[in-house]
Amino acid sequence: MRKKLPIGIQGFEKIRTDNFLYVDKTAYVYQLVHNNVPYFFSRPRRFGKSLLLSTIRYYFEGRKDLFKGLAIEKLEEQNKDAWQPHPVFYFDFNGENYKNADALQRKISFMLNEWENEYNIASNNNTLSERFQILIKQAYKKSGCRCVILVDEYDKPLLDVIENEELTEHNKEIFKGFFSTLKSHDEYIQFIFITGVSKFHKVSIFSDLNQLKDISLTKQYASLCGITDAEIHEYFEQEVLELAEEQNKSKEECLSELKNMYDGYRFHQSGPGVYNPYSLLSAFADKEFGSFWFETGTPTFLVKLLKTSDFDIKRLNNKTIYADEKTLKDYSGDSRNIVPLLYQTGYLTIADYDPVPKEYTLAFPNDEVKYSFIEKLIPEFVSDYGSSS
């Protein structure tokens, strides 16, 4: 039976048990889980971060059955300690509106409450941080294995309220008290992986966890999320042929159009380019070339920041946007520099690199982003864009 395209499917178990196609990224998972260092990883929305965390989750839960036939199964053949279940605490900050003052506390408390019920722990009147400490210790004591901490889209509670300085600082303080537990209870923790779109460098999750390894711009993990040319040929030959037939193109013409539309994201200056996975899968499913990723929604905070910044919009299209590595990785939240967010949210990518000043040149990654941005966003706040004056 032909496998289904996993458009919008973020759960590894569902993909592996419900006949969905899975682009095998488990060789990367093998490297990550055996390094035993805490990681941070940034990618734009709908790039597969949640699926990656779900894959790591089921690895640490010992679900060997879900990995049958994948790269990691063979890599773990000689490891007698592989597939041993660990307690996994998966903090998913998606699917919540954080614009109410107590929303973040309630979200964390809700997740803790589920695990407290699982481990028969009474929360009493303890703080969120104290409750998490008790959970980690109890889980370690009960299982005999150290805990795994996975945090999906940690920055959503900050990006949602970025225009509200008071609430932004409030949510930062919540994180400060809560995630400081990770540093002080290292002996109970096996693995930490945190994802997000933006890395707010003034958030204590990074200052407290000063050993946190940011792999967002490393060559080794440049194609950890996204789809490469090689993976298109390995997994999507039939889809390419069907799209080409529907569009009355040759296979080569179809591949060229796919590259122009959805490829071009580069997360290391000498790493491989990757395709936007959501747009690529959507093009195969609909058998047409559309602006799929862009139409899923542009963050309103980004549009408003562009409106109030002094950034020259015309620079987006002439390769005169430059940044160093620190600028690309960090976003302070109180800076008027819009470039880090344009890169981190996927509207700009690495186009070139000068090793002497260690400076990146940024540009639109592909035609989908370029033309959608120009046609749908710029007219909202630049009335004379495109005029001859």
Side-chain angles (χ1 to χ4, degrees):
M1 182 186 299
R2 185 171 173 180
K3 292 188 178 296
K4 299 178 287 187
L5 295 172
I7 301 172
I9 307 299
Q10 301 177 344
F12 181 70
E13 181 181 32
K14 183 173 183 178
I15 285 179
R16 297 293 290 164
T17 60
D18 199 13
N19 198 43
F20 284 100
L21 185 151
Y22 176 68
V23 176
D24 190 356
K25 300 285 188 178
T26 60
Y28 292 114
V29 172
Y30 177 84
Q31 295 171 25
L32 290 167
V33 301
H34 285 285
N35 282 338
N36 274 8
V37 298
Y39 292 101
F40 173 75
F41 183 63
S42 169
R43 284 296 183 267
R45 60 189 173 84
R46 292 189 176 271
F47 247 77
K49 299 188 298 296
S50 295
L51 176 57
L52 172 64
L53 278 192
S54 179
T55 307
I56 294 172
R57 169 189 173 180
Y58 285 107
Y59 170 83
F60 275 113
E61 288 185 352
R63 291 292 305 276
K64 184 178 179 179
D65 57 304
L66 297 179
F67 294 85
K68 185 175 178 58
L70 299 181
I72 199 170
E73 181 187 39
K74 186 172 183 61
L75 290 168
E76 293 285 20
E77 274 182 346
Q78 305 304 317
N79 180 11
K80 60 181 178 60
D81 296 321
W83 312 112
Q84 184 175 7
H86 289 70
V88 177
F89 297 105
Y90 191 132
F91 291 91
D92 184 359
F93 289 104
N94 286 296
E96 189 74 40
N97 184 341
Y98 294 97
K99 293 185 178 180
N100 294 324
D102 64 342
L104 180 56
Q105 297 101 302
R106 286 191 290 104
K107 179 68 172 179
I108 295 174
S109 183
F110 175 79
M111 291 185 281
L112 292 177
N113 186 61
E114 287 192 320
W115 294 319
E116 286 166 342
N117 289 336
E118 179 181 346
Y119 286 100
N120 297 315
I121 298 171
S123 62
N124 299 320
N125 292 317
N126 294 317
T127 65
L128 294 176
S129 178
E130 290 167 343
R131 291 168 64 185
F132 193 25
Q133 292 174 37
I134 294 168
L135 262 173
I136 289 172
K137 291 178 180 179
Q138 181 65 13
Y140 174 76
K141 180 180 178 181
K142 184 175 180 180
S143 67
C145 292
R146 290 187 289 184
C147 301
V148 172
I149 314 297
L150 306 176
V151 184
D152 196 7
E153 303 290 6
Y154 90 94
D155 55 342
K156 190 175 188 300
L158 303 176
L159 293 174
D160 275 4
V161 300
I162 199 169
E163 297 172 277
N164 185 330
E165 184 176 346
E166 182 179 348
L167 191 49
T168 298
E169 291 305 314
H170 171 76
N171 285 351
K172 285 182 179 180
E173 285 300 311
I174 296 297
F175 276 144
K176 179 178 178 60
F178 186 70
F179 284 111
S180 61
T181 297
L182 301 181
K183 183 177 182 180
S184 58
H185 288 74
D186 189 57
E187 69 269 30
Y188 302 108
I189 297 173
Q190 176 71 21
F191 185 79
I192 299 172
F193 200 102
I194 300 167
T195 75
V197 171
S198 298
K199 182 181 177 184
F200 285 73
H201 76 256
K202 291 186 178 180
V203 177
S204 65
I205 194 171
F206 301 110
S207 58
D208 287 346
L209 288 173
N210 52 17
Q211 77 277 34
L212 195 68
K213 182 173 177 60
D214 187 345
I215 59 172
S216 305
L217 283 172
T218 58
K219 184 177 181 179
Q220 182 180 5
Y221 296 110
S223 55
L224 176 57
C225 287
I227 296 174
T228 64
D229 275 319
E231 288 166 339
I232 286 181
H233 290 289
E234 180 177 357
Y235 294 96
F236 299 104
E237 281 289 315
Q238 187 60 37
E239 283 76 13
V240 170
L241 292 173
E242 291 177 1
L243 176 59
E245 182 179 3
E246 180 69 22
Q247 295 297 316
N248 195 27
K249 295 177 181 289
S250 69
K251 177 183 175 182
E252 291 70 27
E253 289 172 333
C254 183
L255 286 169
S256 178
E257 181 77 2
L258 287 170
K259 178 175 283 291
N260 290 336
M261 283 292 291
Y262 310 123
D263 193 15
Y265 288 93
R266 198 171 296 277
F267 300 105
H268 184 272
Q269 61 270 20
S270 59
V274 295
Y275 292 72
N276 182 317
Y278 181 81
S279 290
L280 186 69
L281 293 174
S282 296
F284 288 145
D286 291 1
K287 295 183 174 57
E288 63 181 40
F289 302 99
S291 299
F292 302 104
W293 176 77
F294 204 92
E295 290 170 354
T296 61
T298 299
T300 56
F301 74 86
L302 184 59
V303 178
K304 291 177 180 178
L305 283 175
L306 278 168
K307 285 182 177 180
T308 58
S309 75
D310 56 4
F311 180 77
D312 183 359
I313 296 294
K314 295 175 183 177
R315 294 174 61 202
L316 289 167
N317 205 29
N318 59 17
K319 294 189 177 181
T320 59
I321 302 174
Y322 309 104
D324 59 17
E325 182 173 332
K326 184 178 185 301
T327 299
L328 294 189
K329 282 187 173 182
D330 294 350
Y331 178 65
S332 66
D334 55 10
S335 171
R336 299 203 40 99
N337 184 4
I338 196 71
V339 171
L341 278 179
L342 286 171
Y343 169 77
Q344 293 167 1
T345 51
Y347 296 98
L348 294 176
T349 196
I350 297 170
D352 201 0
Y353 180 73
D354 188 336
V356 177
K358 296 184 177 180
E359 185 175 70
Y360 298 91
T361 299
L362 306 179
F364 287 125
N366 51 47
D367 286 350
E368 176 187 22
V369 176
K370 176 181 177 179
Y371 293 116
S372 296
F373 200 101
I374 291 172
E375 293 172 10
K376 299 179 182 180
L377 275 188
I378 291 180
E380 290 189 17
F381 50 89
V382 182
S383 58
D384 64 343
Y385 184 82
S387 67
S388 56
S389 59

